[in-house]
Amino acid sequence: MLMLPDFRVRQRDFLLEISRAITAQLELSEVLRRVLKASVAMMAGQCGLVALRAEDEHFYVRAFMGIESVHIPEINFQLRDLVSSMGKEPKVDALNERFREMAAAIDHNLRQSIALPLSFAGEPLGLLIVFRSYRTAVTTNDLQILQSFTDQAAIAVHNAQLYERIDRERNQLAAILDHSADGIMILAPDLQILHFNHALATMTQWSVEEALGQYQHEVIQWQRLENDDLQAAIERGWPFNGADTFRNTLYVEGDLRSRNGISISVGITYAAMLTSDNRIANVIANVRDITNFRQAQEMQNIFISGISHELKTPVAIIKGYAATLRREDAIWDPKVIQDNLAVIEEEADRLTALIQDLLTASRIQAQRELKLDLSEVWLDLLADQVVERFRTQTDKHQFVVNFPAGFPVIQGDEVRLRQVFDNLIGNAIKYSPNGGQIRIWGEWDKARVSVYVEDQGVGIAERDQDKIFDRFYRVDSKLSRRTQGTGLGLYLAKAIITAHRGVIGVQSDLGKGSMFYFTLPYQPASP
């Protein structure tokens, strides 16, 4: 049997051993497990728990020993009640009564509860409770040893919580970096790649594993560069620009040549992270694919150039005919005057239609929808009317309109649908410069009506077929460069058909002509 001094020595040795063990751990759940196991052993208890304070200021069980998990929700509820009452400075008897209720909820054989707070720098971290099946006095010496132990345990818990928080933030940051839509790269001071995310791997066609450890210039290879690259900027003194002025970011733009030889336009923003003595610790690179942005800019520039030409032409014609009629040195025949005025009126209508297209496109872009004025529309008659107008504009093309008898009437916006016919038939003429047959026909079933416009023109390459309905997009070909247009016609046609809850599309082969079609919903009238 151990004498009292021997027991005290063993107790202190055990305390020292356990303190070293728990302070060597940083994983919170393992720290709590060791703290609880040591506490139950030191106090000769049957079971115990550790509850930690959460962000909502309440205490929740985070580790337990010798307690069935089914009791944990009830214990959490009692802890909430207990902590609330502690703020009101209850009597010791009242606290003991609450601990007895908690022990009874776990096991009716438990007779004593020993609770010690876990606190760090005056801030409560949690509560350690050990339950025993017998009742005995706790000496002052026992309390001192236990308090010393819980102080060590609190430090371990605090460190583990900090580590858990840092680890969680590190994982969140890693997730953001790895799954960002932009390419992200972290470089060492010598520009060796330390981190390389999946988006950048897709852009460069370097796998993450292959890129790590490479130097930046081996992976980021420029086909065309608009300004100095990172290495040249550092040699010139960046991020201090050769002076004492600190400039944290550097922007580089150009065409990046990927590993498979394909070029993409990118903009890279470099940010310097400095050490305490103002040396580069790391460089963070954010790589954004701006290929679509540049294409949009180029399309916009082409549109501005095209629209300028489209606006100038009718204005010049109107001005020319008006100036001719105003000549004081000429006496004009009434028929000549009427012919000239007809041209002026026609060009003014053309100008009005162009401006209306621009306004409509702008409205669609802003409101994301197109308002319709619905009424009954006879598509076969509408097609005939549009074709009759176009017959006077060309002698190279043969029009064939073929709608079956009894073609149904639909609910639609006649003005807008006329605009669709104008665009599709006008394009068929424009892009079949050698003439040929232009066929317009329709078909229907119980659910929908369909209209087709087919020409024998130059056709559309497969790569362009998905883009021709985009705003401002024009197929890049010798014919399109010679042909007037704004790139708005098919965009507006698609917007109109979509507003009617329909679909529009194209089938085409280069050199063999194109067939545009649109389909609209049809609801037969009730008998």
Side-chain angles (χ1 to χ4, degrees), residues 113-310:
S113 305
I114 304 171
L116 290 171
L118 296 174
S119 59
F120 180 83
E123 286 291 319
L125 300 178
L127 191 63
L128 170 66
I129 308 175
V130 175
F131 301 96
R132 297 199 292 205
S133 59
Y134 61 93
R135 188 180 299 278
T136 183
V138 181
T139 67
T140 303
N141 186 64
D142 289 337
L143 287 176
Q144 288 177 345
I145 291 175
L146 289 174
Q147 189 60 59
S148 175
F149 172 70
T150 53
D151 288 343
Q152 292 294 317
I155 294 172
V157 169
H158 174 72
N159 290 342
Q161 284 181 323
L162 284 178
Y163 177 77
E164 184 181 65
R165 191 176 303 121
I166 292 170
D167 191 53
R168 183 170 61 249
E169 291 173 355
R170 183 172 63 244
N171 290 334
Q172 289 173 346
L173 180 59
I176 292 171
L177 294 178
D178 288 336
H179 301 291
S180 170
D182 288 344
I184 296 178
M185 179 172 55
I186 300 178
L187 306 174
D190 61 356
L191 305 188
Q192 189 178 34
I193 298 173
L194 304 178
H195 186 91
F196 197 83
N197 76 344
H198 298 296
L200 192 51
T202 301
M203 291 183 200
T204 61
Q205 294 298 303
W206 280 74
S207 70
V208 174
E209 294 75 16
E210 290 175 317
L212 293 177
Q214 301 287 339
Y215 289 95
Q216 193 219 208
H217 71 273
E218 296 173 322
V219 176
I220 305 299
Q221 297 190 0
W222 297 102
Q223 183 167 309
R224 185 186 62 84
L225 194 60
E226 294 191 357
N227 47 1
D228 287 344
D229 64 2
L230 176 62
Q231 183 64 54
I234 291 176
E235 290 173 358
R236 286 189 287 102
W238 183 82
F240 294 99
N241 293 338
D244 293 333
T245 304
F246 177 63
R247 185 183 175 196
N248 185 50
T249 60
L250 171 72
Y251 183 73
V252 176
E253 186 176 311
D255 294 333
L256 177 67
R257 185 172 63 252
S258 64
R259 208 174 186 185
N260 60 7
I262 297 175
S263 174
I264 61 172
S265 298
V266 299
I268 305 182
T269 301
Y270 294 100
M273 311 295 290
L274 302 182
T275 62
S276 58
D277 58 349
N278 284 338
R279 295 179 181 273
I280 295 177
N282 292 111
V283 176
I284 314 297
N286 183 276
V287 187
R288 176 159 294 181
D289 185 346
I290 59 173
T291 304
N292 291 337
F293 173 73
R294 282 195 169 181
Q295 287 176 347
Q297 272 192 324
E298 185 177 349
M299 287 168 57
Q300 187 171 340
N301 292 337
I302 292 172
F303 164 74
I304 292 172
S305 174
I307 201 66
S308 298
H309 179 74
E310 291 283 319

Side-chain angles (χ1 to χ4, degrees), residues 58 76-86 98 101:
H58 293 297
N76 282 332
F77 178 77
Q78 291 177 338
L79 282 170
R80 181 187 293 250
D81 229 17
L82 174 67
V83 172
S84 298
S85 63
M86 287 173 65
R98 289 188 178 276
E101 291 173 0

Side-chain angles (χ1 to χ4, degrees), residues 431 455-465 475-479 506-515:
Y431 292 102
D455 63 56
Q456 297 174 330
V458 296
I460 303 168
E462 185 176 355
R463 67 175 181 274
D464 293 313
Q465 291 178 21
V475 176
D476 186 15
S477 67
K478 292 180 179 178
L479 178 59
V506 64
Q507 296 175 5
S508 182
D509 291 311
L510 275 178
K512 298 181 180 180
S514 303
M515 182 182 70

